[in-house]
Every structure is written in structure tokens, then in C-alpha cells.
Amino acid sequence: MNRVLFVCLGNICRSPSAEGIFRKIVQAKGFEDAFEIDSAGTGDWHIGHTPDQRAQQAASRRDVDLSALRARQLSIEDIIYHDLILVMDRRNRADVFSLAQPEHEHKIRYLLEYSEQYDGLEIPDPYYGGTHGFDLVLDMIEDSCKRLLNSIIE
Ligand code: 4NP
């Protein structure tokens, strides 16, 4: 079993989008029985909320339904439980590191590290931007998630 956790700040934009997109890619390749896929936010402002409407709309244009997801906050247990913790930006990484014990630090990676199409490490926070920001974020997530699955199954 591969336990994969996507982490962002609010768990209403980037990480639920990554959860939904990665799940779709995993299902399309027939690997769903080999994965547990989840997401969480480092912040607590949006606990219990559905993904941002703009994220849901951008995802639905790619046939990904995020409506059943609810935001939750990252816990120390999440870091112990999951095999791979994929963060969106430097702030997320610092926040996850501050919760993680040294023996779990190797699990923490930038999601965008897996992308071939996009350079850099950060998937920008689209919360205060426009719709275009969400489409770009989903492009970055989708490319990264395809390579992520390849890297896990290789
Ligand atoms: P996310 O986006 O981390 O991709 O879910 C954000 C959502 C909400 C806030 C910040 C980022 N906020 O400050 O409320």
C-alpha cells in the first residue's frame, strides 16, 4: 500500500485538487487498490469546508469531482502514517517539517519536483488570484501527478 498525502495551507484549493487529480490518474491506470490518497492543510481556518468553488469548477472541467471532500488540518499522526507527503510551497514545507520527527523528514517532498514541464519547486497559492490561477495550478498539479505515479510504480 502506498499512502500519499497532499498538503497545502487551507486544504480548500491546491491539496484537494491534487488529491482528486491524482486519484483519477491512479484509477485510470488501474492502481487504485495499491493507494491510499488523502489531503490536509497546515492551517485550521477552513476545517470542514468544501473545496473553494473556483477549484471545484476548474477540476470539473477536467472531469474531477471535488464536492465530497472536506478540509481538515494536518496532524502529527498524518506524518507518521503516510509514506509520502507532498507539499505545494516553502511555507507548507517549513510547517510540515516543524511537526515532523527527524526520522520522517525524508517523506516530505515538493509536488512540483515531479513535474517535467514546470521548473521550480512551488505551486503558487491561487486563493487571492483569478480563475486563470486555478487553471495554471491544475496544469502544474496534473503534470506532477502523472510523473509522481510513474515514479512510484517504477
Ligand atoms: P490552499 O489555498 O492552501 O491551496 O487551500 C488557500 C486557501 C485559503 C487560505 C490560504 C490559502 N486562507 O488564507 O484562508
Side-chain angles (χ1 to χ4, degrees):
M1 185 59 72
N2 296 285
R3 297 168 176 152
V4 178
L5 182 71
F6 297 96
V7 173
C8 64
L9 180 58
N11 195 213
I12 57 167
C13 298
R14 292 165 293 176
S15 63
S17 300
E19 177 184 346
I21 286 176
F22 187 60
R23 184 170 289 124
K24 183 182 174 189
I25 291 169
V26 165
Q27 283 171 348
K29 299 258 182 180
F31 287 112
E32 61 266 36
D33 293 343
F35 282 87
E36 277 182 33
I37 304 164
D38 201 354
S39 67
T42 58
D44 63 1
W45 312 285
H46 297 286
I47 292 171
H49 295 182
T50 51
D52 186 285
Q53 286 304 316
R54 297 164 295 173
Q56 291 200 47
Q57 285 161 7
S60 76
R61 290 194 285 273
R62 298 170 195 228
D63 289 322
V64 174
D65 180 5
L66 304 180
S67 63
L69 303 182
R70 295 294 179 271
R72 68 183 189 86
Q73 190 172 24
L74 178 75
S75 67
I76 292 171
E77 291 72 29
D78 278 319
I79 298 172
I80 296 167
Y81 181 76
H82 290 91
D83 303 309
L84 193 53
I85 298 157
L86 296 155
V87 300
M88 305 297 151
D89 61 26
R90 289 179 174 79
R91 180 177 176 187
N92 305 152
R93 186 172 188 274
D95 289 340
V96 180
F97 258 81
S98 73
L99 277 185
Q101 292 157 318
E103 67 263 37
H104 299 301
E105 287 176 355
H106 69 279
K107 303 179 191 178
I108 304 165
R109 304 288 293 266
Y110 287 103
L111 177 58
L112 198 63
E113 259 184 65
Y114 292 89
S115 174
E116 286 179 3
Q117 209 179 321
Y118 295 94
D119 294 329
L121 295 173
E122 297 196 302
I123 299 180
D125 183 349
Y127 190 63
Y128 295 107
T131 306
H132 179 70
F134 281 81
D135 288 324
L136 173 63
V137 159
L138 288 203
D139 286 341
M140 295 172 118
I141 288 172
E142 197 168 334
D143 187 60
S144 302
C145 283
K146 284 180 190 160
R147 321 289 175 186
L148 171 64
L149 178 58
N150 290 343
S151 95
I152 293 172
I153 63 183
E154 255 164 26

